[in-house]
Amino acid sequence: MSPTPRAVIFDLDGTLLNTLDDLADSGNVTLAAMGLPGHPVDAYRYFVGLGVEELARTMLPEEHRDDATVARAAQLVSEEYKKRWKDKTRPYEGIVELLEALRRRGLPLSVLSNKPQVYTDITVQEFFPGFPFAFVHGARPEVPNKPHPAGALALARELGLPPGEICFVGDTATDMKTARGAGMLPVGALWGFRTAQELEENGALHLLPHPFELLNLFA
């Protein structure tokens, strides 16, 4: 029987925050500037999650995925996102209340995202003011992006806890692979960007239809 988790690491986009519209708008403005067709908003559910370079690569037509074009698209989409990162982004329903309930229980909470560190910091500060996350880590040059487990394991060390006593909550295969690779408890957020099937196939041990159901793991 697994021990009751003693800390929670959250993914950011698609788990704490619904950032899809702002990401899609940034991507489509970039594509238009490059003379390329855009995509429906829902298509971006499968473009995001692996960092800005992979977002740029996957949103580009296959015949335009050479390194120079990907680099240009990544730069442009970053510039566009800088203009609109909080236009439509909001916390998912129940997330603020969940964080408050976990805080009352004395659980250390952290964020691990593939979003660049500067945007991870400003979005957390903007949408969760006053919540004392123990650590907030975005994409940094010295740490491989998820699904590599290095970032999650670094957080375990900073928290001073064995990985097996940490619950990792995310909404994509990337998050579940990260949790499994780090030896953490993989929990899938069904309110996010991807499907229950994807989460289960990539190792989710719990699937949550609503944020508050996370509290059942700490009963």
Side-chain angles (χ1 to χ4, degrees):
M1 183 175 179
S2 299
T4 299
R6 296 171 57 197
V8 185
I9 298 173
F10 289 99
D11 171 52
L12 186 58
D13 294 29
T15 301
L16 295 178
L17 293 173
N18 186 350
T19 57
L20 193 63
D21 285 329
D22 287 334
L23 289 166
D25 289 348
S26 300
N28 283 339
V29 169
T30 294
L31 290 168
M34 298 176 72
L36 298 170
H39 304 279
V41 171
D42 271 356
Y44 282 86
R45 293 179 183 274
Y46 293 90
F47 297 165
V48 301
L50 289 171
V52 66
E53 287 190 5
E54 281 305 305
L55 165 61
R57 187 183 311 278
T58 52
M59 75 182 189
L60 286 167
E62 289 189 17
E63 65 272 20
H64 292 280
R65 292 179 182 172
D66 58 279
D67 289 348
T69 304
V70 169
R72 181 179 174 224
Q75 179 182 354
L76 289 175
V77 77
S78 295
E79 291 171 359
E80 291 300 329
Y81 189 65
K82 189 183 299 184
K83 301 173 186 176
R84 56 176 56 82
W85 61 271
K86 62 178 180 178
D87 285 358
K88 300 174 183 176
T89 291
R90 298 292 182 271
Y92 285 100
E93 180 182 355
I95 285 293
V96 171
E97 293 82 1
L98 170 65
L99 295 177
E100 183 58 49
L102 292 170
R103 179 167 65 173
R104 287 197 301 268
R105 295 180 183 215
L107 291 161
L109 311 176
S110 296
V111 172
L112 181 62
S113 176
N114 280 346
K115 185 191 288 288
Q117 184 70 55
V118 61
Y119 290 115
T120 301
D121 287 336
I122 62 175
T123 51
V124 168
Q125 291 163 9
E126 172 74 18
F127 294 106
F128 304 109
F131 281 101
F133 288 100
F135 302 99
V136 176
H137 289 177
R140 298 168 292 162
E142 68 273 20
V143 181
N145 279 358
K146 299 180 294 182
H148 196 289
L153 290 171
L155 276 173
R157 290 191 295 271
E158 290 173 304
L159 290 164
L161 292 172
E165 295 183 7
I166 299 173
C167 173
F168 194 110
V169 184
D171 68 303
T172 69
T174 297
D175 297 311
M176 299 305 97
K177 290 175 181 177
T178 302
R180 298 286 295 211
M184 297 177 179
L185 177 65
V187 177
L190 294 179
W191 58 85
F193 294 166
R194 305 286 178 82
T195 65
Q197 180 178 348
E198 175 179 320
L199 294 167
E200 286 184 319
E201 288 177 351
N202 287 279
L205 294 183
H206 299 275
L207 294 177
L208 307 181
H210 187 275
F212 250 58
E213 296 193 20
L214 181 64
L215 297 176
N216 295 333
L217 301 183
F218 300 93

